[in-house]
Structures are given as C-alpha cells and as structure tokens.
Amino acid sequence: MTTLQFADEQEYRASIREVRQDSSPVDWVLFGYENDKAQKLVSLGKGSGGINELATHLKDDIIAYGLVRKTDQIDDSTTVKFAFINFLGDNVPRMLKARVSVQQGAIKDFIGQYHVDINTSSRDEVTDAVLQEKIGLTSGSGSRVVNRDTGAREGANKGGRSTAAVNVKGATDLNFGDADALKSAIADVRSDSTPTDWTLFTYADETSNTIIQKSSGSDGVSGLLSNLSDDMVAYGLVRKIEKIDDSETVKFAYIRFVGEQIPRMLRARLGTHSGAVNAFFHPYHVTIEATEKSEISDDIIYKSIKAAAGTAVHVLPDQARPNVTQQWQPRNTGGTNTTNATTKAPVPKASLAGDQGLKYADESAIRNAIKEVRADDNPTDWALVGYEGDKGSTLVLNGKGSGGLEELRSHLRENAVGYGLLRTTDKIDNSVTVKFVFINWVGEKIDRMHRARLGTHKGQVHDLFAPFHVDINAAVESEVTADIVREKVQDASGSGSKVKH
C-alpha cells in the first residue's frame, strides 16, 4: 500500500475525530495536496456548515478528499451517517490523476469508515441534495414507493420530512422551465389512471440551461426512441409492468441520453446537471445511460431491472442456459390484450467469425485469456480485447494480468475501443463470492464512423464475454474506478454494506 505523507498527521487525525463526534459542531473536513506533485497531504479546511460549505473550497485544478457528517431520519429515529468525498477537478492534469489513483486505498484507510461516497470532478455534484439522495438509497430512508396519482413518494413525510421536490434552481445554473408541467408529466407516467408510460425532457436549445418537455406517450420505449437524435441531450422516465408468475410489479427506468454529436465541451458542462436532474426524476429503479439509440430497448431495461432487483441469474456454469420468460405488460387502457415474449438468454457462440464482419486475429488466445480470468485458481484476474487497427473489425488480445482493475486501466486509450473482463470479489458478512465485471470502453477520440459500426458488434461481443454480473460503459478513466466497480457489484448483488471500510 502507498505510504501517505502529511504536513501534520496528528492535527489531521484530530480533525477527523471532531467530525465523528456528535457533540462537536465540526461536521466536515477537507484535505488536499501541498503542491502539484501530490506528495504530501495538507488541510484545506473544516467547518460546521455541512457539505455545501465544504464545496466552496473545491476548485477545478485541485484534488481533494473530505469527510462529512450528516443525519438521516427514518420515521422517528435519527441516525448519523458519514460521507467520503473524492474530488478530482476537471483541470487536474491526466498524469497527476493517474499518480494519485494508487493512493486511494491509503486515503480511505486514513479517512476511516463511511456510509456513502461521492466521486466527482464537478463541484456542482457536491451538494446536500445529492448527499441526501445517496444516504436515502443506502439506508432505505429514501422510499422508492410512489403515489402514482401524485408522483410523490409515500412515507417521505414521516418524521417531519418534506415531500416537496428538491429545489435545484440556481444550484448548477440549471432551470426547470415550467417545473409544474414537468412534474405533472412525470406524475402521469407514474399514475395507473393514465395510459402515458413515458416522458422525455430536453434543453430549450443547444446553449440553454433550461429543461423543457419534449414529448410524452403511451407507446413505450419505441415511442421514446422516436424522439431521440444524435445531436441532443435528453432525460426520460419509462414505466414498465413486470410479470413474474401471477404477480405484477411496476418498475421505472430513468433514461439519460447524450447523443454522439454533442461537442465535448458541451458534454462536460451538461454533466454538471446530472445530480440535479437525477433528483428531479427520483425515485426510479434503474438508470440507463446511452449515447446511441441501440443502447436503449425493452430487453436492456428488463435485464437492468432484473439485475437491480436481484432476481436475475447472472452467472451459470458452462452449460446451456434455461429459457427466461420475459413478460412486459402494456399500460391498462381498457383493452384486454397483453404482450408476452419468451426470450432465450444468450448462449456463447463457438465463433464470431462471419458475424457482422467480426473476426479474430487469434481466437484461442482470446478465449483462453477469458477462461483464465474465470478460473479461481489462476492469478489472471483481467483480460482486455480490442481491435486490430484504428477502424478494424478483427478482435485482438490487448493484454491480461493479475494486477486487477488498475492494471487493466493502464491499457485503456482515448483513441481505442476495449472490451474487458475483470474478476473481483464481494463480501457478505463472512462469505466471499466471486463476481465478474464486463467493461465496454469506447475512448472519446474514436472515429465517428468506427463508433457507429461498433453497434453491430455489440451482441456478439457480449456473447463472447458472457456470463458476467455487471457491465460498465466508459469513455474516460474516471468512469471506471474501483469505487464504481464496487458500487455496481454491490447494487447488483444486494450486498451494499451500510458502512464501508
């Protein structure tokens, strides 16, 4: 483990103890580096104004780590929660980000136990609203049960908690144009008494921070997709009714779509709105993030809901997989028709050669590397596959190793595509289980035509790496970190611990 250096370690540990003491007014502390060489930790401040006060000390060119104390109320009980803040400013040099990534374990040991973490490069995502949402999801105090007639969370007013929507105007220069109309559109999707099963919001124009409603409908995902284009950013809510045996349950999927033609600078600016928009749509069961229409479908939403609910069988032995009956029920609009689709879970193909023009440079090397990752008694815990040439359709083995995620990340390039499989572990009480993570890396500088062609490879590539427990889609290294992997695995397995170490 990397050894941390401190300007005054004794003083800093005392500050952390202050935050952890209920009787102390100090409820946050923040640390950073003495200079741009990131060799020694210094104190950036502490105070009693909560996370919003901490955020005023964050700048785009710094790396900072913080601890925040926050209270959470469930009915008449109040509990204390701690949040770890991991901030890497947008203007921090890439090499510096890479250098400090190896210190993550030591930093967390120094900070100590916490319940939730916020990993971000934007100060606008370090807010009380975002923190409260994370704590609510972790502790169960943020109810996911919705009054479908009003769109409000049932039970949210217990113990004096407000049912009013979070006021985010001005927090990120974000404005919800006609907020009442937008809330009404969401409430329609949530209501059993209306046929509306989706709604879609976007920005008033490409230079605006004002969100408006683009459309709503009762024709499901296909209707929502017809309103998307490559040059827009959109946020949507879809309502699905899942039928398992004779039981029907209502599920909601939040859609965040950032079209491929959105300029990089605009993409970064709109990224600061993420927390506020998420809170506006909350609650929902799953999030679907996409840059192209092919990444949004009934099947994808179905699989995401199954994974989040823990009802999906994620990993099976190397044998034929059973049929999975997927039954999506349409909105009840007075008719009696239902739609039942039986879908077979994919069985890995013997070869991808000839499928959508996808080929191998050395098929046995790729398949053997994947088998090594799956073998518990093999030290190899990751494998990465890419394309031969910048615009090719031939898969090659880019690397494999036993250094975990950090070693895999070192092989990712901004002008390349990579498909990776990572073996990790998840601990529930005293039981340790093996989990597999599929990483779909599409670097930011990929040629547009090559990016479009990748959509035709998606199904075959997934079959090559299947089965796996969770998948991560990333374009920058900050989207594939140890914290993100751990959170995804725990969300899928239901093992998310109330206190993280």
Side-chain angles (χ1 to χ4, degrees):
M1 180 181 293
T2 301
T3 301
L4 287 178
Q5 298 182 32
F6 303 88
D8 190 336
E9 181 176 0
Q10 185 175 356
E11 177 187 341
Y12 303 160
R13 291 191 182 278
S15 295
I16 291 175
R17 287 195 295 271
E18 284 186 83
V19 176
R20 294 194 179 280
Q21 292 174 357
D22 292 348
S23 59
S24 169
V26 176
D27 59 7
W28 67 268
V29 63
L30 189 68
F31 304 100
Y33 291 101
E34 188 175 46
N35 53 46
D36 58 9
K37 295 183 179 179
Q39 294 176 338
K40 185 178 293 186
L41 278 183
V42 298
S43 174
L44 299 182
K46 63 181 180 180
S48 56
I51 191 171
N52 289 340
E53 185 179 46
L54 176 150
T56 64
H57 293 258
L58 302 176
K59 300 177 181 179
D60 288 342
D61 60 350
I62 71 168
I63 297 172
Y65 311 103
L67 182 68
V68 179
R69 183 177 75 234
K70 177 77 175 175
T71 56
D72 183 37
Q73 187 165 341
I74 305 177
D75 296 334
D76 296 324
S77 301
T78 299
T79 59
V80 175
K81 304 291 184 181
F82 296 99
F84 170 61
I85 311 298
N86 182 27
F87 180 84
L88 284 81
D90 281 328
N91 294 335
V92 173
R94 182 169 180 172
M95 291 302 295
L96 180 57
K97 288 183 179 180
R99 190 158 63 244
V100 301
S101 66
V102 301
Q103 299 180 0
Q104 284 292 304
I107 291 289
K108 291 179 179 180
D109 283 346
F110 168 64
I111 293 291
Q113 295 181 346
Y114 55 89
H115 299 83
V116 298
D117 50 7
I118 296 178
N119 299 284
T120 183
S121 60
S122 171
R123 189 174 72 176
D124 294 321
E125 294 181 6
V126 185
T127 67
D128 191 70
V130 171
L131 176 57
Q132 187 61 58
E133 179 184 357
K134 278 184 169 280
I135 289 175
L137 290 173
T138 302
S139 67
S141 61
S143 175
R144 299 193 182 196
V145 178
V146 177
N147 182 317
R148 300 192 188 105
D149 294 325
T150 65
R153 288 189 232 177
E154 294 179 351
N157 60 342
K158 293 181 179 180
R161 299 182 69 179
S162 174
T163 60
V166 177
N167 181 9
V168 297
K169 290 185 179 179
T172 59
D173 295 326
L174 178 64
N175 177 41
F176 290 95
D178 188 341
D180 289 340
L182 297 178
K183 291 175 186 175
S184 178
I186 292 174
D188 281 346
V189 176
R190 298 194 187 282
S191 174
D192 286 338
S193 62
T194 73
T196 303
D197 59 5
W198 65 269
T199 188
L200 191 70
F201 300 169
T202 188
Y203 292 91
D205 57 63
E206 63 181 15
T207 63
S208 174
N209 287 329
T210 299
I211 288 182
I212 61 173
Q213 183 182 10
K214 179 171 178 59
S215 188
S216 291
S218 57
D219 46 357
V221 174
S222 61
L224 181 145
L225 287 174
S226 68
N227 284 270
L228 297 178
S229 61
D230 289 341
D231 60 352
M232 70 183 293
V233 175
Y235 311 99
L237 188 70
V238 177
R239 181 181 190 271
K240 305 298 282 184
I241 299 179
E242 180 190 13
K243 186 173 183 179
I244 304 176
D245 297 327
D246 295 325
S247 300
E248 292 185 355
T249 57
V250 177
K251 303 290 185 180
F252 297 100
Y254 168 61
I255 311 292
R256 181 174 182 267
F257 180 84
V258 182
E260 291 182 335
Q261 292 183 16
I262 299 297
R264 182 172 179 176
M265 291 302 294
L266 178 59
R267 186 190 301 261
R269 180 171 65 83
L270 298 183
T272 65
H273 298 170
S274 179
V277 176
N278 290 359
F280 195 82
F281 277 90
H282 195 78
Y284 42 82
H285 297 87
V286 296
T287 299
I288 306 294
E289 296 194 1
T291 59
E292 55 185 67
K293 292 184 182 182
S294 63
E295 296 171 335
I296 305 171
S297 69
D298 280 318
D299 190 50
I300 289 172
I301 293 175
Y302 169 78
K303 289 178 179 177
S304 296
I305 288 173
K306 285 292 187 182
T311 57
V313 178
H314 299 283
V315 176
L316 297 175
D318 291 334
Q319 59 192 34
R321 302 184 191 184
N323 288 353
V324 178
T325 301
Q326 175 185 340
Q327 295 180 305
W328 287 125
Q329 303 296 329
R331 299 300 300 267
N332 183 3
T333 59
T336 59
N337 292 335
T338 60
T339 302
N340 297 338
T342 300
T343 304
K344 283 189 177 181
V347 178
K349 300 182 179 181
S351 175
L352 302 183
D355 288 334
Q356 302 293 343
L358 197 58
K359 304 174 183 177
Y360 290 111
D362 187 339
E363 181 175 355
S364 62
I366 292 175
R367 291 194 180 276
N368 286 337
I370 293 173
K371 287 181 180 178
E372 288 180 44
V373 176
R374 295 196 180 281
D376 291 349
D377 57 353
N378 193 301
T380 300
D381 57 10
W382 68 269
L384 186 68
V385 175
Y387 289 97
E388 188 174 62
D390 294 340
K391 302 176 184 179
S393 58
T394 299
L395 293 179
V396 297
L397 180 63
N398 284 347
K400 62 180 181 178
S402 57
L405 179 64
E406 289 305 314
E407 188 176 39
L408 183 153
R409 277 164 45 102
S410 69
H411 288 72
L412 301 177
R413 301 289 182 266
E414 61 183 1
N415 61 346
V417 176
Y419 306 112
L421 186 68
L422 173 73
R423 183 178 74 232
T424 186
T425 57
D426 184 33
K427 187 173 183 180
I428 306 177
D429 298 327
N430 294 322
S431 300
V432 177
T433 58
V434 174
K435 302 293 183 180
F436 296 101
V437 180
F438 172 65
I439 296 171
N440 180 33
W441 169 267
V442 182
E444 286 189 306
K445 295 187 177 180
I446 297 300
D447 175 78
R448 175 171 170 76
M449 291 302 295
H450 184 37
R451 184 188 297 268
R453 200 157 50 240
L454 296 177
T456 66
H457 299 172
K458 181 175 296 185
Q460 287 74 40
V461 171
H462 273 230
D463 287 348
L464 171 65
F465 284 89
F468 45 83
H469 298 84
V470 298
D471 54 358
I472 293 176
N473 298 295
V476 293
E477 289 188 21
S478 60
E479 295 174 336
V480 53
T481 65
D483 286 337
I484 290 173
V485 169
R486 184 188 68 245
E487 182 177 345
K488 285 255 188 182
V489 168
Q490 291 181 343
D491 283 348
S493 66
S495 64
S497 174
K498 298 297 174 93
V499 178
K500 299 178 184 178
H501 297 272

